[in-house]
Protein backbone atom coordinates (compact mmCIF):
# COMPACT_ATOMS: atom_id res chain seq x y z
CA UNK A 1 0.00 0.00 0.00
CA UNK A 2 1.53 3.34 -1.00
CA UNK A 3 1.55 6.62 0.91
CA UNK A 4 -1.34 8.04 -1.12
CA UNK A 5 -3.64 5.22 0.11
CA UNK A 6 -2.58 5.47 3.77
CA UNK A 7 -3.08 9.23 3.98
CA UNK A 8 -6.91 9.27 3.46
CA UNK A 9 -7.32 6.39 5.93
CA UNK A 10 -5.26 8.24 8.54
CA UNK A 11 -7.30 11.37 8.00
CA UNK A 12 -10.47 9.30 8.33
CA UNK A 13 -9.45 8.02 11.77
CA UNK A 14 -8.59 11.56 12.84
CA UNK A 15 -12.05 12.70 11.75
CA UNK A 16 -13.74 9.88 13.70
CA UNK A 17 -11.68 10.67 16.82
CA UNK A 18 -12.44 14.38 16.54
CA UNK A 19 -16.15 13.66 16.09
CA UNK A 20 -16.14 11.39 19.15
CA UNK A 21 -14.37 13.99 21.30
CA UNK A 22 -16.80 16.67 20.10
CA UNK A 23 -19.82 14.45 20.82
CA UNK A 24 -18.60 13.76 24.36
CA UNK A 25 -17.93 17.46 24.93
CA UNK A 26 -21.41 18.45 23.73
CA UNK A 27 -22.99 15.69 25.81
CA UNK A 28 -21.06 16.86 28.86
CA UNK A 29 -22.20 20.44 28.32
CA UNK A 30 -25.85 19.42 27.90
CA UNK A 31 -25.74 17.20 30.98
CA UNK A 32 -24.08 19.83 33.14
CA UNK A 33 -26.51 22.60 32.16
CA UNK A 34 -29.87 21.14 31.10
CA UNK A 35 -30.57 17.43 31.46
CA UNK A 36 -28.66 14.53 33.00
CA UNK A 37 -29.03 10.76 33.34
CA UNK A 38 -29.12 8.91 36.66
CA UNK A 39 -29.36 5.28 37.69
CA UNK A 40 -31.74 4.26 40.49
CA UNK A 41 -29.80 1.83 42.73
CA UNK A 42 -32.45 1.05 45.33
CA UNK A 43 -36.14 0.51 46.00
CA UNK A 44 -36.54 3.59 48.21
CA UNK A 45 -38.75 5.43 45.71
CA UNK A 46 -41.03 2.56 44.70
CA UNK A 47 -43.58 2.40 43.20
CA UNK A 48 -42.71 5.57 41.26
CA UNK A 49 -39.08 4.63 40.52
CA UNK A 50 -37.74 1.09 40.67
CA UNK A 51 -34.31 -0.43 41.15
CA UNK A 52 -32.38 -0.31 37.87
CA UNK A 53 -34.39 2.51 36.31
CA UNK A 54 -32.45 5.09 34.32
CA UNK A 55 -34.02 8.51 34.57
CA UNK A 56 -33.62 11.84 32.81
CA UNK A 57 -33.26 14.69 35.27
CA UNK A 58 -34.03 18.28 34.35
CA UNK A 59 -31.46 20.64 35.84
CA UNK A 60 -33.62 23.67 34.99
CA UNK A 61 -36.93 22.42 36.42
CA UNK A 62 -36.70 24.67 39.46
CA UNK A 63 -35.09 27.65 37.75
CA UNK A 64 -38.34 29.57 37.39
CA UNK A 65 -40.51 27.82 39.98
CA UNK A 66 -39.67 27.10 43.60
CA UNK A 67 -39.45 23.58 44.98
CA UNK A 68 -42.70 22.62 46.67
CA UNK A 69 -44.00 19.84 48.91
CA UNK A 70 -44.57 16.66 46.94
CA UNK A 71 -41.79 17.30 44.43
CA UNK A 72 -39.38 14.45 43.75
CA UNK A 73 -35.82 15.78 43.65
CA UNK A 74 -32.38 14.46 42.78
CA UNK A 75 -29.75 15.94 45.04
CA UNK A 76 -26.11 15.82 46.04
CA UNK A 77 -26.13 14.27 49.51
CA UNK A 78 -22.55 15.12 50.43
CA UNK A 79 -22.46 16.89 53.77
CA UNK A 80 -25.94 15.66 54.72
CA UNK A 81 -26.78 12.11 53.58
CA UNK A 82 -23.18 11.19 52.74
CA UNK A 83 -19.64 12.19 53.82
CA UNK A 84 -17.96 15.00 51.89
CA UNK A 85 -15.21 12.56 50.88
CA UNK A 86 -15.60 8.86 50.06
CA UNK A 87 -12.21 8.01 51.56
CA UNK A 88 -11.60 5.48 48.76
CA UNK A 89 -8.98 7.47 46.88
CA UNK A 90 -9.00 9.42 43.60
CA UNK A 91 -8.60 6.37 41.32
CA UNK A 92 -11.65 4.59 42.74
CA UNK A 93 -13.64 7.82 42.76
CA UNK A 94 -12.76 8.52 39.11
CA UNK A 95 -13.71 5.00 38.00
CA UNK A 96 -17.02 5.26 39.87
CA UNK A 97 -17.70 8.67 38.33
CA UNK A 98 -17.21 7.28 34.81
CA UNK A 99 -19.67 4.39 35.27
CA UNK A 100 -22.14 6.75 36.93
CA UNK A 101 -21.81 9.24 34.06
CA UNK A 102 -22.80 6.53 31.58
CA UNK A 103 -25.74 5.51 33.79
CA UNK A 104 -24.32 2.04 34.48
CA UNK A 105 -24.19 2.31 38.26
CA UNK A 106 -25.73 4.39 41.00
CA UNK A 107 -23.91 7.06 42.96
CA UNK A 108 -22.99 6.83 46.62
CA UNK A 109 -23.58 10.55 47.00
CA UNK A 110 -26.54 11.29 44.70
CA UNK A 111 -30.04 10.55 45.99
CA UNK A 112 -33.65 10.71 44.86
CA UNK A 113 -36.29 11.52 47.48
CA UNK A 114 -39.60 13.35 47.88
CA UNK A 115 -39.93 16.76 49.49
CA UNK A 116 -42.09 16.48 52.60
CA UNK A 117 -41.12 19.70 54.35
CA UNK A 118 -40.01 23.05 52.90
CA UNK A 119 -38.39 25.91 54.86
CA UNK A 120 -40.48 26.91 57.87
CA UNK A 121 -42.61 23.73 57.94
CA UNK A 122 -43.24 21.90 61.20
CA UNK A 123 -43.22 18.20 60.29
CA UNK A 124 -44.27 15.52 62.79
CA UNK A 125 -44.93 11.82 62.95
CA UNK A 126 -47.21 10.59 63.90
CA UNK A 127 -50.73 11.82 64.60
CA UNK A 128 -53.21 9.82 66.66
CA UNK A 129 -54.21 8.16 63.35
CA UNK A 130 -50.61 7.26 62.55
CA UNK A 131 -50.27 9.92 59.83
CA UNK A 132 -47.65 12.56 59.06
CA UNK A 133 -48.62 16.11 59.87
CA UNK A 134 -47.30 19.38 58.46
CA UNK A 135 -47.97 22.53 60.42
CA UNK A 136 -50.46 20.64 62.57
CA UNK A 137 -52.52 19.16 59.72
CA UNK A 138 -52.50 15.65 58.26
CA UNK A 139 -50.53 15.29 55.03
CA UNK A 140 -52.26 13.30 52.29
CA UNK A 141 -49.71 10.86 50.78
CA UNK A 142 -51.13 8.77 47.91
CA UNK A 143 -47.59 8.08 46.67
CA UNK A 144 -46.51 5.97 49.68
CA UNK A 145 -45.73 2.34 48.86
CA UNK A 146 -48.84 0.16 49.38
CA UNK A 147 -48.84 -1.41 52.82
CA UNK A 148 -46.17 0.89 54.26
CA UNK A 149 -46.82 3.05 57.30
CA UNK A 150 -46.09 6.78 56.90
CA UNK A 151 -43.17 6.17 59.28
CA UNK A 152 -42.32 3.74 62.04
CA UNK A 153 -39.86 6.27 63.42
CA UNK A 154 -41.28 9.21 65.35
CA UNK A 155 -39.94 12.68 64.72
CA UNK A 156 -40.80 16.31 65.36
CA UNK A 157 -38.83 18.84 63.32
CA UNK A 158 -39.00 22.41 62.07
CA UNK A 159 -37.33 22.82 58.69
CA UNK A 160 -34.78 25.68 58.80
CA UNK A 161 -34.49 28.37 56.16
CA UNK A 162 -32.71 27.12 53.06
CA UNK A 163 -33.24 23.42 53.79
CA UNK A 164 -35.61 20.54 52.98
CA UNK A 165 -36.98 17.52 54.83
CA UNK A 166 -36.88 14.57 52.40
CA UNK A 167 -38.30 11.04 52.54
CA UNK A 168 -38.56 8.07 50.19
CA UNK A 169 -41.95 6.77 49.03
CA UNK A 170 -41.08 3.20 50.07
CA UNK A 171 -40.85 4.20 53.71
CA UNK A 172 -39.81 0.79 55.04
CA UNK A 173 -36.90 0.65 52.55
CA UNK A 174 -35.76 4.26 52.53
CA UNK A 175 -32.78 5.79 54.30
CA UNK A 176 -33.71 9.46 54.43
CA UNK A 177 -33.97 12.52 56.68
CA UNK A 178 -35.44 10.40 59.48
CA UNK A 179 -32.22 8.46 59.95
CA UNK A 180 -30.05 11.56 60.31
CA UNK A 181 -31.81 13.39 63.10
CA UNK A 182 -28.77 13.18 65.37
CA UNK A 183 -26.25 14.04 62.65
CA UNK A 184 -24.98 17.54 61.78
CA UNK A 185 -27.78 19.32 59.95
CA UNK A 186 -30.40 17.03 61.46
CA UNK A 187 -31.22 15.27 58.19
CA UNK A 188 -32.06 18.52 56.43
CA UNK A 189 -30.72 18.94 52.89
CA UNK A 190 -29.60 22.39 51.67
CA UNK A 191 -31.64 23.76 48.79
CA UNK A 192 -28.49 24.50 46.82
CA UNK A 193 -27.66 20.76 46.81
CA UNK A 194 -30.71 19.97 44.65
CA UNK A 195 -29.59 18.94 41.15
CA UNK A 196 -32.99 18.77 39.49
CA UNK A 197 -36.25 16.89 39.00
CA UNK A 198 -36.78 13.48 37.34
CA UNK A 199 -38.84 13.98 34.18
CA UNK A 200 -38.59 10.69 32.27
CA UNK A 201 -37.81 7.01 32.83
CA UNK A 202 -35.74 6.00 29.79
CA UNK A 203 -34.72 2.45 30.76
CA UNK A 204 -35.80 -0.33 30.88
CA UNK A 205 -37.97 0.14 27.82
CA UNK A 206 -40.99 -1.55 29.39
CA UNK A 207 -41.00 1.23 32.00
CA UNK A 208 -40.42 4.07 29.54
CA UNK A 209 -42.69 6.82 30.83
CA UNK A 210 -42.88 10.44 31.84
CA UNK A 211 -42.38 11.23 35.52
CA UNK A 212 -45.12 13.81 36.12
CA UNK A 213 -44.69 16.56 38.65
CA UNK A 214 -46.87 15.75 41.61
CA UNK A 215 -49.57 18.20 42.64
CA UNK A 216 -48.44 20.28 45.57
CA UNK A 217 -48.80 18.14 48.69
CA UNK A 218 -51.07 20.17 50.91
CA UNK A 219 -52.04 19.10 54.42
CA UNK A 220 -55.63 17.91 54.71
CA UNK A 221 -58.04 20.43 56.10
CA UNK A 222 -60.04 17.65 57.72
CA UNK A 223 -57.34 15.74 59.62
CA UNK A 224 -55.60 16.77 62.81
Amino acid sequence: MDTSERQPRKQGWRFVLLALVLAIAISGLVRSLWVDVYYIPSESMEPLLGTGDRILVSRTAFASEAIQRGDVVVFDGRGSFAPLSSGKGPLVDTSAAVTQWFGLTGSDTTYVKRVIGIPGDHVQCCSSEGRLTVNGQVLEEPYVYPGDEPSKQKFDVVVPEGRLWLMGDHRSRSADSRGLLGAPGGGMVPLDRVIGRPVQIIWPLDRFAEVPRSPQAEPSKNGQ
Side-chain angles (χ1 to χ4, degrees):
M1 183 181 296
D2 59 28
T3 304
S4 62
E5 292 176 340
R6 290 197 298 267
Q7 191 68 20
R9 183 173 297 180
K10 187 175 181 180
Q11 290 177 348
W13 278 110
R14 286 178 177 174
F15 177 79
V16 171
L17 181 59
L18 179 61
L20 180 61
V21 171
L22 185 61
I24 292 175
I26 293 173
S27 176
L29 181 64
V30 169
R31 292 179 63 172
S32 65
L33 296 178
W34 294 290
V35 64
D36 209 342
V37 179
Y38 286 92
Y39 173 90
I40 303 297
S42 76
E43 57 206 331
S44 70
M45 281 301 295
E46 291 179 341
L48 179 66
L49 302 173
T51 305
D53 284 354
R54 273 74 167 178
I55 57 173
L56 285 182
V57 177
S58 170
R59 287 180 172 269
T60 60
F62 302 118
S64 59
E65 188 173 358
I67 295 172
Q68 61 188 27
R69 292 186 212 98
D71 278 334
V72 176
V73 297
V74 175
F75 62 98
D76 181 351
R78 288 176 295 178
S80 56
F81 278 44
L84 290 171
S85 173
S86 71
K88 298 177 181 178
L91 183 60
V92 173
D93 288 347
T94 300
S95 299
V98 170
T99 57
Q100 291 159 17
W101 195 85
F102 283 103
L104 301 175
T105 61
S107 169
D108 292 335
T109 60
T110 303
Y111 297 81
V112 184
K113 302 293 178 186
R114 191 179 296 274
V115 177
I116 302 300
I118 58 176
D121 278 348
H122 182 194
V123 187
Q124 291 177 288
C125 189
C126 293
S127 68
S128 58
E129 300 174 344
R131 309 273 295 281
L132 258 65
T133 65
V134 176
N135 302 325
Q137 297 181 329
V138 169
L139 185 66
E140 299 295 336
E141 297 192 285
Y143 41 75
V144 171
Y145 188 83
D148 269 8
E149 299 177 28
S151 178
K152 288 186 176 181
Q153 180 179 350
K154 295 182 179 181
F155 55 85
D156 186 341
V157 298
V158 175
V159 184
E161 191 65 30
R163 300 218 168 211
L164 300 169
W165 178 265
L166 304 172
M167 297 172 67
D169 290 354
H170 198 165
R171 298 286 159 80
S172 62
R173 292 287 187 269
S174 177
D176 47 42
S177 290
R178 296 170 293 170
L180 297 165
L181 286 170
M188 314 289 184
V189 174
L191 280 163
D192 60 11
R193 289 289 189 174
V194 173
I195 295 168
R197 182 176 69 83
V199 294
Q200 183 82 33
I201 299 173
I202 60 173
W203 188 265
L205 292 179
D206 62 351
R207 285 181 51 76
F208 187 89
E210 179 185 358
V211 181
R213 187 173 186 181
S214 300
Q216 185 170 359
E218 292 289 356
S220 168
K221 301 301 182 181
N222 299 320
Q224 296 295 329

